[in-house]
Amino acid sequence: MSAPNKSYDPVEVEALKPEEIERMRDEALAAFAAAGDLDALQEAKVAHTGGTSPLALANREIGALPPQAKASAGKLVGQARGAVNKALATRQTELEADRDARVLVEEAVDVTLPYDRVPAGARHPLTTFMERVADVFVSMGYEIAEGPEVEAEWFNFDALNFTPDHPARQMQDTFFVQGPKGTDGDESGVVLRTHTSPVQARAMLDREPPVYIVCPGRVYRTDELDATHTPVFHQIELLAIDEGLTMADLKGTLDHMVQSLFGAGMKTRLRPNYFPFTEPSAEMDMLCYVCKGESVGNPDRPCRTCSSEGWIELGGCGMVNPRVLVACGVDPEKYSGFAFGFGIERMLMFRHNVEDMRDIVEGDVRFTRPFGMEI
């Protein structure tokens, strides 16, 4: 920028000549008129009104003029810049109006169209039923407990009284992620959990009795996928640890569960069995919810659900083995407990007459849609 000088006329400054200022103004007006959208107008705005635009640079030259010349030059540049800003505002208003009108057309929504053209979705019945069972026990004061699906072999087997030579620990039943470490196998291996019982062991180690938990989750076994088996399935197990618990408490809990899920009047029975982690152990049967036992010995009323036996086997149960209590840091002289568990897929097949377990796991929406969106 030139220093103040009293000896020259402003018309001798090229940028301040009237015809030059008119040219700058006309170029700006033409650029604004030619802008076809707001983005192009923004580029023209920067070019013709920004700090480095021709009119802005001409305005800076006014400071170098003698005092008697500044007024006329300032008026000339000011009028040109005013005309440019007015044209810019006018063009922006026009383009914004065009944009809004276009949006109304391009993004219009026809509210008269049918709202249900897209079929309604559905929750998977396994999820719904597992949550329903868990809610039964939450209403009784139990807590939901979860654990890792990739589990230490100690939690999956040793803590639950599975001896090293137990058949379930062999490769044909268990997915081994990592074998035991050390020359003597003294460090636990890693498996995909074969049941949700490891969650019970973790709960006993992490909490002081009393413990009342329910453990839903996914488990893994090396079964072939067929009509009645799948290598990935779901279980839900219950554990209660407290002073003075007996088989009578277990029986009452089972009766409450089946009545909550299948209706009043449902009964359960216990048949002696063996499980490493419970002693005594039993298989739990439920009165058939279809025939209520009336099909037994009645050829005129066969029942497909229970095969006319009157009872449906649900799963295993029993009093927690004292060895398991000791392994998990619970005093068996002071505390006792009971546990039970059953497969969700199997229960779902019973309740809804599903003949092939592959229908449950293949993800076909034609299977899940009839179950709806129950929450």
Side-chain angles (χ1 to χ4, degrees):
M1 182 183 295
S2 304
N5 191 332
K6 301 180 181 180
S7 63
Y8 70 86
D9 192 295
V11 298
E12 296 180 358
V13 180
E14 184 68 25
L16 295 176
K17 291 181 178 181
E19 61 272 16
E20 187 64 20
I21 293 175
E22 290 180 5
R23 183 189 64 78
M24 298 175 190
R25 180 199 61 194
D26 294 342
E27 286 183 356
L29 299 181
F32 296 157
D37 54 40
L38 291 172
D39 290 336
L41 183 63
Q42 179 63 25
E43 294 179 3
K45 176 182 177 181
V46 173
H48 294 281
T49 66
T52 59
S53 64
L55 282 173
L57 295 177
N59 191 59
R60 293 180 189 177
E61 292 291 343
I62 297 175
L65 297 178
Q68 65 273 21
K70 285 183 178 180
S72 59
K75 182 179 180 180
L76 193 61
V77 174
Q79 289 176 344
R81 298 183 76 182
V84 168
N85 289 331
K86 182 178 179 181
L88 173 63
T90 300
R91 186 56 177 161
Q92 182 161 348
T93 301
E94 293 173 353
L95 291 176
E96 287 177 349
D98 291 343
R99 178 201 60 191
D100 295 343
R102 187 173 61 256
V103 167
L104 289 175
V105 174
E106 294 177 353
E107 300 183 11
V109 177
D110 187 352
V111 295
T112 65
L113 288 175
Y115 68 92
D116 57 350
R117 290 186 301 169
V118 178
R123 299 188 76 204
H124 199 285
L126 286 177
T127 302
T128 302
F129 185 67
M130 192 155 50
E131 291 178 357
R132 183 184 299 176
V133 176
D135 287 344
V136 171
F137 296 107
V138 170
S139 68
M140 297 171 63
Y142 285 76
E143 295 181 56
I144 302 294
E146 298 179 340
E149 296 179 12
V150 180
E151 185 60 275
E153 192 176 0
W154 188 88
F155 282 106
N156 198 77
F157 293 126
D158 297 274
L160 301 174
N161 198 36
F162 283 83
T163 58
D165 59 349
H166 195 282
R169 299 185 70 150
Q170 304 304 312
M171 291 294 290
Q172 65 266 27
D173 291 319
T174 306
F175 288 105
F176 277 83
V177 177
Q178 178 179 293
K181 296 180 180 179
T183 56
D184 298 327
D186 52 351
E187 186 174 342
S188 177
V190 179
V191 300
L192 295 181
R193 65 182 183 187
T194 58
H195 44 191
T196 53
S197 300
V199 181
Q200 301 180 16
R202 288 179 176 273
M204 286 188 281
L205 287 169
D206 293 340
R207 313 177 188 204
E208 292 293 330
V211 177
Y212 290 89
I213 61 169
V214 60
C215 318
R218 187 183 295 110
V219 298
Y220 305 83
R221 294 182 188 174
T222 55
D223 293 329
E224 295 291 336
L225 179 61
D226 56 32
T228 57
H229 298 85
T230 174
V232 183
F233 56 101
H234 297 78
Q235 285 186 341
I236 188 163
E237 299 191 16
L238 175 141
L239 172 70
I241 303 292
D242 208 340
E243 296 184 40
L245 294 181
T246 66
M247 288 286 284
D249 298 302
L250 170 61
K251 182 68 163 57
T253 302
L254 298 178
D255 286 342
H256 176 76
M257 180 192 72
V258 298
Q259 290 175 17
S260 298
L261 295 175
F262 296 94
M266 297 300 295
K267 300 178 181 179
T268 63
R269 73 177 183 182
L270 302 179
R271 292 179 289 108
N273 207 318
Y274 167 77
F275 302 108
F277 36 85
T278 52
E279 181 60 38
S281 303
E283 284 284 357
M284 178 188 73
D285 296 336
M286 175 187 72
L287 186 67
C288 178
Y289 59 89
V290 176
C291 70
K292 304 295 176 61
E294 296 179 4
S295 64
V296 179
N298 186 357
D300 296 330
R301 190 185 174 184
C303 180
R304 176 181 177 183
T305 302
C306 67
S307 300
S308 298
E309 296 180 0
W311 296 89
I312 298 173
E313 179 184 323
L314 290 188
C317 62
M319 302 302 293
V320 179
N321 194 309
R323 291 177 177 268
V324 175
L325 296 177
V326 171
C328 297
V330 177
D331 183 1
E333 299 295 328
K334 182 178 180 180
Y335 296 102
S336 60
F338 60 81
F340 78 87
F342 60 85
I344 298 296
E345 281 85 352
R346 192 161 183 266
M347 176 68 77
L348 193 68
M349 294 178 75
F350 285 144
R351 281 175 57 90
H352 300 285
N353 294 320
V354 179
E355 297 183 356
D356 195 325
M357 191 173 290
R358 287 169 291 195
D359 293 336
I360 300 176
V361 301
E362 287 179 347
D364 193 325
V365 296
R366 291 173 296 179
F367 175 79
T368 57
R369 190 177 295 127
F371 294 90
M373 284 296 293
E374 178 180 346
I375 298 178

